[in-house]
Amino acid sequence: ATTPSNSAVRFETGTSELVLSNRVANVQGSKFGSNKISTKAKIHLKLSLGQLIRDVIYPEAEPQFQQHAYFKTSVQLRNALEDESNTEESNIPDKEVILITLNRPLIFLQPVAVDRAILVWLSYKNAWEYWAEQRSSLNKEVLIATQQVIERVPISQIKEQISSQHIGTLFLQLNVQDIGVAIPITTDSFGVPRDNDSKGAIVCTVETTSISAC
């Protein structure tokens, strides 16, 4: 995603893995005869904010991406093992536990990245407002036809069917391991730029944390 001022947001993914297996007895150590499906997904991702630098002499050349801030991590998602599901909520029927793990999420932020982020937000905010304005100016006949189609859908019957069916309970658990935030200090207290050898940084790290939701 780019803006007219050459500010850019880049999203990159590395190797992605997805494993689905019905051999839960061997994969997850569940009891014999369980029909639970083993699901495991893993993806490496990186979200960067920076500026595109175009070659003045060779405009057809690929522009260089100067990075000002980034967030990168490895995300792993899987359903819980049978022994991991034996928590205080074990007496709840049809309980499904999803474990989400962020491995070494790293956040790097330079002061100039704040200005770049504001420019990107303003650019796409204006684009969103323009799209919303065009959408609101749709022909009234189209809106009336859409409303007539919605009225023909048996919403009440669908609601009764959903309410009569048993809905299971889903638990989500997010584990974050070795998170780190680095903010470089490029100027001193008087606003004078520092040399590369004397530059410092503010570093914040968390070894592990866990967040659960239902």
Side-chain angles (χ1 to χ4, degrees), residues 131-144 146:
W131 178 85
E133 182 181 355
Q134 295 296 321
R135 181 174 177 271
S136 62
S137 62
L138 288 175
N139 195 327
K140 293 183 178 179
E141 296 179 359
V142 177
L143 298 178
I144 294 175
T146 304

Side-chain angles (χ1 to χ4, degrees), residues 6-126:
N6 289 331
S7 298
V9 176
R10 175 180 291 181
F11 179 72
E12 302 172 276
T13 59
T15 304
S16 301
E17 301 177 5
L18 176 61
V19 179
L20 298 175
S21 176
N22 60 350
R23 301 179 60 184
V24 185
N26 295 333
V27 177
Q28 292 192 346
S30 63
K31 297 180 180 179
F32 179 76
S34 175
N35 57 356
K36 188 176 181 180
I37 300 297
S38 171
T39 305
K40 183 178 180 181
K42 186 177 182 180
I43 183 174
H44 301 272
L45 57 88
K46 181 179 180 181
L47 184 64
S48 306
L49 173 65
Q51 181 181 9
L52 291 178
I53 301 178
R54 306 184 183 276
D55 197 320
V56 181
I57 301 177
Y58 301 101
E60 67 278 3
E62 186 73 18
Q64 297 181 355
F65 182 73
Q66 185 178 6
Q67 189 172 252
H68 298 314
Y70 67 81
F71 168 77
K72 63 179 180 179
T73 185
S74 174
V75 183
Q76 181 174 347
L77 185 146
R78 65 178 176 87
N79 52 344
L81 306 178
E82 185 171 348
D83 54 353
E84 292 174 325
S85 300
N86 294 329
T87 58
E88 298 178 355
E89 299 85 0
S90 298
N91 55 350
I92 300 178
D94 295 339
K95 177 175 63 68
E96 182 68 25
V97 181
I98 303 297
L99 301 179
I100 305 173
T101 302
L102 299 183
N103 188 19
R104 295 200 65 193
L106 300 178
I107 302 175
F108 177 78
L109 179 65
Q110 292 183 344
V112 69
V114 178
D115 298 334
R116 292 292 172 187
I118 295 175
L119 292 176
V120 172
W121 180 76
L122 290 176
S123 178
Y124 283 90
K125 175 177 178 293
N126 295 334

Side-chain angles (χ1 to χ4, degrees), residues 160-180:
E160 292 177 358
Q161 293 177 359
I162 294 177
S163 59
S164 61
Q165 295 177 357
H166 177 72
I167 300 178
T169 304
L170 177 64
F171 291 89
L172 297 178
Q173 181 173 340
L174 174 63
N175 298 318
V176 182
Q177 300 176 357
D178 297 334
I179 183 173

